[in-house]
Amino acid sequence: MTLQPKTRWLFAAAIASTVAAGGVFAQATAAKEQFFPVISYRTGPYGPNGTPWANGYVDYLKMINARDGGINGVKITFEECEFGYDTARGVECYERLKSKGPTGATVFQPLSTGVTFALTDKAPTDKIPLITSGYGRADSVDGTVFKWNFPLAGTYWTAADILVQHVGKKEGGLDKLKGKKIALVYHDSPYGKEPIALLQERAKMHGFELLLLPVTHPGVEQKSTWLQVRQQRPDYIFLWGWGVMNSTAIKEAVATGYPREKMYGVWWAGAEPDVVPVGEGAKGYNALAFQAGAGQAAVHQDVLKHVYAKGQGTGKQEDIGQVLYNRGMIHAMLAVEGVRQAQKRFGNKPLTGEQVRWGLENLNLDPAALKRLGMEGFIAPLATNCIDHEGSRKARIHQWDGQKWTYTTDFYEADMQIIKPMITNSAKQYATEKKIEVRDCAKEVS
Amino acid sequence: MLYRENGQFKSTYRADQQVLPIRQDRWFMAAVLVFAFAVVPFIGTQYTFQAILIPFLIYSLAAIGVNLLVGYCGQISLGSAAFMAVGAYAAYNFAVRVPQLNFLVILVLAGLAAAAVGILFGTPSLRIKGLYLAVATLAAQFFLDWTFARVKWFSNYSPSGAVSTTPVSMFGFTFETPAEKYLFVLSVVVVMTLVAKNLVRSHVGRAWMAIRDMDVAAKVIGIRPVHAKLTAFAVSSFFLGIAGALWGFVHLGSWEPAAFNLSQSLRLLFMVIIGGMGSILGSFFGAAFIWLTPLFLNQVPAALGVQLSTATISHIELMIFGSLIVFFLIAEPHGLARLWAIGKEKLRLWPFPH
């Protein structure tokens, strides 16, 4: 085929412009997106708790896109993968999402101890950080061994320590705990067993007696446990449950006649789905609030304005500000701020998991930063470094008054004098078992 | 026309007793193996290896184990996942306490440990049968779940009771990439499948089937029920133990006792029932059906561009999956392996059915 000179030019120009436009377009979409995987459970045994968390998480990401146009101009994309709290399916979701987006998955937050364990093994190979904020292995605070794990803003050892401090204060001093009985009613899984080591340490220090009362999964059958409570009459009960186990435990407490005021749940046993099904009986029940309990801060107004007002909301508008919704939001915020911090070093472009890891390790959410985020007074300031992947170890107690959760105390801080050696020992054992080379933080340039 | 054994004459007993007596089957099997060993490692993505193929292969191995016991020997067991747990924890303890052991040795030891426990929990089968035995094996599930959660020695005194494995290595080589892990699991599964296939064709397997079909008649013709039933429990648990060790070390990497709970046992039993009782091939079909169908259903709406919430997709997945199980059981109560066999029969007559 021969073309006239003029036609040939046009043809060439058309091709060139198509290629150029296509190239620019491809680059534009490829260059300005940060992919956030969301592995969640809206179905299955823990669905009622997983749903508000996932709503909060996704709403926050949507809000950042709508309000700021992404993180410093880098748009957030996300995909949800439902795993129904089944570890094998959770791992499948991880594999499905880990290499999506131009730079792969930013960070994973599985919200399940089983999946956390499995991913702790996989994340280092794939170079994707893992935020297990408020759950997971307590010893993963040690960044020299757990380079890719970030139990930001609280572990189970922090939680247990704060609960002991609180009951100590109620008794009028930690020394007054001598001879008292504290029962730990726990989900019989790694999740529930995690605080035992710390509580035993504290029991030795203060001379209180620790009763360990395991409840088998899923926790709908607790008669024998509460029979023991009836016999032993512990002075306090710490409840370490999740999902239906919590409401069942409170119902059993009502049946046993154990005062709800003396029951303290961990932050996974202190949300609306845990107390609402119990009705009046739950009044007076206490729990730890993970950073923030229920309620709204300035950031919620942004979510309402930029997401819900446009009909883009993930859940129901009236559920905003619930405990687990807020937690999802805080978790999303931590991930987003990790990216923002990493952008300061690597530039405002889509970042790889490895780069985001650096950001998470150098987070500094001081009061000014929290004010910018609209979370001033909502959560405690947080700063991480190479050795400390927790960043903040503070929590408050809140109480259910039959209608809503209200704070009854100010922030407590966990005692690192006790926890630090435990973390170091446990992490060291893990490192030898797994043949991990321990990082030397002094040598690393940050 | 293509699939017909006309003209393939066997002149020796050896030729007549091959695993695959028909030439076309041999070619087909060879093609599948060449594809799995030489092509898949190059074309597979990380997702296909880690989320699809490795779990599928390990489940197949476990399903073979259950099939030997339930399908061939007729002893219903609800404790299969517990024997997997024995294998996984045994492997973990050998790896932690004797770090210089080759992983192949660890696998065999894990299998033997599971076999020993299997024999122990198989003894009630000498006195009780059918549903009663199912309940007795359920006890194994609960007891072993309890043991691994409670006895701290098994998890090397880890504070939370969860264990974390060492890297899989042998002869100075460490399996790290998904493709390497896949090839390792595939090799183990192929070897074990060959063992299982030959076992069920031998006098041992025939004794199991005789017990399954009618234990009194089997006794009359000189088969020792004690021996047959206990070997079935031992061999089945051996397979499950190895599958458990692979599940823990290669697939999960670290796990909590709940990784081997009752629902896992039921899942394995369903694989055998849907795949085909008393069929090695059926174990693979069953594992593929139970593990892959939900994943497929889960990803169909997104692939078609239908926007649905993940919760809705998950509900739809369960509904379709459930109805598929019912459909297959009505269409062919003898499982997918039987459908495969019917398909082959039809192929022999094609294109001139009579």
Side-chain angles (χ1 to χ4, degrees):
Chain A
M1 187 174 89
T2 52
L3 292 169
Q4 293 300 315
K6 201 175 159 192
T7 332
R8 204 183 294 162
W9 270 112
L10 272 176
F11 200 61
I15 291 178
S17 60
T18 320
V19 170
V24 168
F25 183 68
Q27 212 169 27
T29 48
K32 283 294 182 189
E33 280 180 3
Q34 185 76 38
F35 178 69
F36 282 74
V38 185
I39 58 175
S40 56
Y41 40 99
R42 294 170 181 279
T43 62
Y46 299 115
N49 297 57
T51 306
W53 179 86
N55 287 345
Y57 197 90
V58 170
D59 276 348
Y60 188 83
L61 297 179
K62 284 181 181 167
M63 186 274 287
I64 292 289
N65 268 347
R67 188 188 65 186
D68 309 338
I71 311 168
N72 292 327
V74 181
K75 210 166 157 18
I76 294 175
T77 55
F78 62 90
E79 186 177 327
E80 238 184 278
C81 182
E82 164 76 35
F83 72 105
Y85 212 80
D86 174 353
T87 301
R89 288 297 291 273
V91 172
E92 190 269 329
C93 278
Y94 166 82
E95 296 291 343
R96 196 195 297 183
L97 298 180
K98 75 177 182 193
S99 45
K100 291 208 169 165
T103 49
T106 308
V107 55
F108 275 93
Q109 308 209 31
L111 201 68
S112 139
T113 311
V115 178
T116 303
F117 279 116
L119 296 194
T120 301
D121 213 57
K122 297 179 195 302
T125 344
D126 296 322
K127 302 206 179 304
I128 301 171
L130 211 60
I131 299 182
T132 60
S133 182
Y135 55 97
R137 300 178 65 111
D139 56 357
S140 60
V141 170
D142 190 339
T144 60
V145 173
F146 295 91
K147 189 177 170 187
W148 299 89
N149 291 50
F150 293 88
L152 295 169
T155 66
Y156 293 135
W157 287 353
T158 302
D161 194 75
I162 289 173
L163 284 180
V164 174
Q165 286 187 33
H166 177 71
V167 295
K169 199 173 156 194
K170 283 208 97 142
E171 291 290 329
L174 283 166
D175 50 314
K176 301 270 177 16
L177 285 176
K178 200 171 177 62
K180 298 271 179 216
K181 258 189 218 167
I182 297 182
L184 176 70
V185 176
Y186 64 99
H187 190 263
D188 197 4
S189 68
Y191 154 59
K193 285 182 191 166
E194 199 72 37
I196 294 175
L198 183 115
L199 289 173
Q200 283 171 337
E201 189 75 24
R202 278 280 195 182
K204 237 185 288 163
M205 282 173 64
H206 310 303
F208 63 81
E209 192 189 335
L210 181 67
L211 296 174
L212 297 176
L213 305 176
V215 173
T216 43
H217 168 89
V220 280
E221 175 47 52
Q222 301 184 14
K223 289 270 182 261
S224 62
T225 309
W226 288 88
L227 196 66
Q228 275 172 284
V229 169
R230 197 195 288 269
Q231 288 163 349
Q232 305 262 2
R233 282 279 146 194
D235 296 285
Y236 293 99
I237 288 182
F238 293 168
L239 180 63
W240 231 265
W242 182 226
V244 71
M245 175 183 157
N246 294 333
S247 47
T248 311
I250 302 172
K251 276 180 203 159
E252 290 291 342
V254 176
T256 316
Y258 190 86
R260 264 68 71 207
E261 288 76 14
K262 301 211 155 191
M263 289 176 74
Y264 290 89
V266 67
W267 43 59
W268 300 112
E272 288 80 1
D274 305 323
V275 285
V276 172
V278 189
E280 274 298 295
K283 214 185 246 183
Y285 170 73
N286 305 287
L288 273 176
F290 177 78
Q291 297 291 333
Q296 300 199 359
V299 63
H300 292 83
Q301 296 311 313
D302 285 343
V303 171
L304 286 169
K305 189 171 131 202
H306 295 283
V307 181
Y308 280 80
K310 291 177 190 154
Q312 301 285 315
T314 320
K316 284 190 230 146
Q317 187 160 335
E318 57 268 26
D319 292 347
I320 292 181
Q322 286 192 350
V323 175
L324 288 167
Y325 181 93
N326 286 349
R327 195 159 309 159
M329 240 168 81
I330 294 169
H331 285 174
M333 180 278 287
L334 292 169
V336 169
E337 290 313 300
V339 173
R340 203 187 299 278
Q341 182 67 23
Q343 282 181 347
K344 284 188 193 154
R345 176 168 167 184
F346 301 103
N348 297 344
K349 55 172 205 259
L351 301 176
T352 61
E354 198 168 8
Q355 291 164 330
V356 175
R357 194 204 70 78
W358 183 88
L360 290 168
E361 196 168 271
N362 293 279
L363 269 182
N364 185 13
L365 301 177
D366 52 14
L370 291 181
K371 195 176 162 76
R372 175 175 57 76
L373 292 167
M375 291 196 180
E376 200 188 16
F378 192 58
I379 65 170
L382 176 150
T384 51
N385 58 46
C386 170
I387 302 170
D388 175 15
H389 277 192
E390 191 178 6
S392 147
R393 40 201 111 253
K394 288 183 174 174
R396 288 172 280 194
I397 308 274
H398 58 179
Q399 193 172 40
W400 179 253
D401 67 1
Q403 300 298 321
K404 61 180 191 307
W405 290 98
T406 34
Y407 296 117
T408 52
T409 69
D410 201 3
F411 277 112
Y412 284 95
E413 181 156 16
D415 189 351
M416 280 315 268
Q417 296 278 326
I418 302 164
I419 302 179
K420 183 84 198 206
M422 293 176 62
I423 289 174
T424 317
N425 280 342
S426 177
K428 205 185 282 168
Q429 192 197 340
Y430 182 83
T432 22
E433 247 175 50
K434 296 284 281 182
K435 299 174 186 142
I436 296 174
E437 210 177 307
V438 177
R439 293 160 74 200
D440 187 352
C441 286
K443 278 192 192 145
E444 283 186 28
V445 211
S446 56
Chain B
M1 203 152 68
L2 293 169
Y3 187 76
R4 202 169 283 176
E5 69 266 44
N6 293 12
Q8 298 179 30
F9 299 110
K10 314 284 188 317
S11 50
T12 58
Y13 284 116
R14 212 182 146 71
D16 199 35
Q17 287 176 347
Q18 302 178 75
V19 176
L20 299 166
I22 302 173
R23 194 187 295 135
Q24 286 89 335
D25 280 349
R26 287 200 293 275
W27 282 112
F28 179 71
M29 192 48 74
V32 168
L33 285 177
V34 167
F35 182 73
F37 274 104
V39 182
V40 173
F42 296 101
I43 57 169
T45 60
Q46 288 209 358
Y47 175 73
T48 43
F49 289 131
Q50 305 225 16
I52 296 182
L53 292 172
I54 292 178
F56 159 65
L57 286 169
I58 301 174
Y59 269 136
S60 305
L61 183 60
I64 292 175
V66 180
N67 218 334
L68 292 178
L69 184 65
V70 180
Y72 284 94
C73 197
Q75 312 294 310
I76 300 173
S77 164
L78 289 176
S80 319
F83 300 126
M84 280 179 84
V86 173
Y89 279 94
Y92 168 75
N93 279 295
F94 282 119
V96 165
R97 289 165 212 282
V98 198
Q100 57 273 25
L101 273 187
N102 184 311
F103 189 69
L104 281 180
V105 180
I106 291 180
L107 268 188
V108 174
L109 289 174
L112 290 176
V117 178
I119 293 177
L120 184 67
F121 283 99
T123 38
S125 71
L126 306 177
R127 284 297 173 89
I128 49 183
K129 288 184 223 173
L131 285 175
Y132 302 95
L133 180 64
V135 175
T137 51
L138 195 60
Q141 177 73 45
F142 289 128
F143 176 75
L144 290 167
D145 267 0
W146 178 86
T147 310
F148 292 125
R150 279 284 170 289
V151 184
K152 292 206 173 276
W153 184 84
F154 287 113
S155 48
N156 200 18
Y157 301 97
S158 95
S160 59
V163 300
S164 192
T165 62
T166 47
V168 177
S169 63
M170 60 182 72
F171 310 116
F173 180 79
T174 307
F175 293 90
E176 267 163 3
T177 68
E180 287 165 7
K181 287 180 176 172
Y182 159 75
L183 282 175
F184 173 65
V185 174
L186 181 67
S187 316
V188 173
V189 172
V190 166
V191 171
M192 296 296 287
T193 308
L194 208 60
V195 170
K197 187 75 193 167
N198 279 304
L199 210 53
V200 296
R201 288 150 28 93
S202 71
H203 70 100
V204 183
R206 285 173 206 286
W208 294 344
M209 286 185 269
I211 291 285
R212 171 193 67 190
D213 291 340
M214 196 176 180
D215 53 353
V216 178
K219 229 188 270 180
V220 169
I221 59 170
I223 288 167
R224 288 172 294 160
V226 176
H227 185 262
K229 284 178 179 173
L230 289 187
T231 46
F233 265 99
V235 174
S236 159
S237 307
F238 183 79
F239 275 70
L240 284 165
I242 287 185
L246 289 174
W247 188 257
F249 274 70
V250 182
H251 183 52
L252 291 180
S254 49
W255 69 88
E256 49 177 337
F260 302 100
N261 59 8
L262 181 62
S263 72
Q264 196 80 296
S265 283
L266 292 174
R267 199 182 260 181
L268 290 173
L269 193 63
F270 294 160
M271 283 177 190
V272 170
I273 293 174
I274 290 174
M277 301 241 262
S279 159
I280 299 291
L281 182 68
S283 310
F284 285 89
F285 287 148
F289 184 79
I290 299 277
W291 177 246
L292 302 181
T293 317
L295 296 188
F296 172 74
L297 290 174
N298 196 267
Q299 296 183 35
V300 164
L304 294 176
V306 184
Q307 291 291 331
L308 287 174
S309 84
T310 51
T312 319
I313 294 178
S314 164
H315 292 308
I316 295 176
E317 170 202 318
L318 286 173
M319 285 189 271
I320 299 185
F321 184 57
S323 31
L324 273 178
I325 291 179
V326 176
F327 169 76
F328 274 116
L329 287 181
I330 291 174
E332 185 47 69
H334 296 289
L336 299 172
R338 180 78 191 128
L339 281 180
W340 177 260
I342 294 173
K344 285 212 303 193
E345 281 303 309
K346 290 230 158 94
L347 214 54
R348 285 172 72 187
L349 302 176
W350 182 85
F352 304 114
H354 51 77

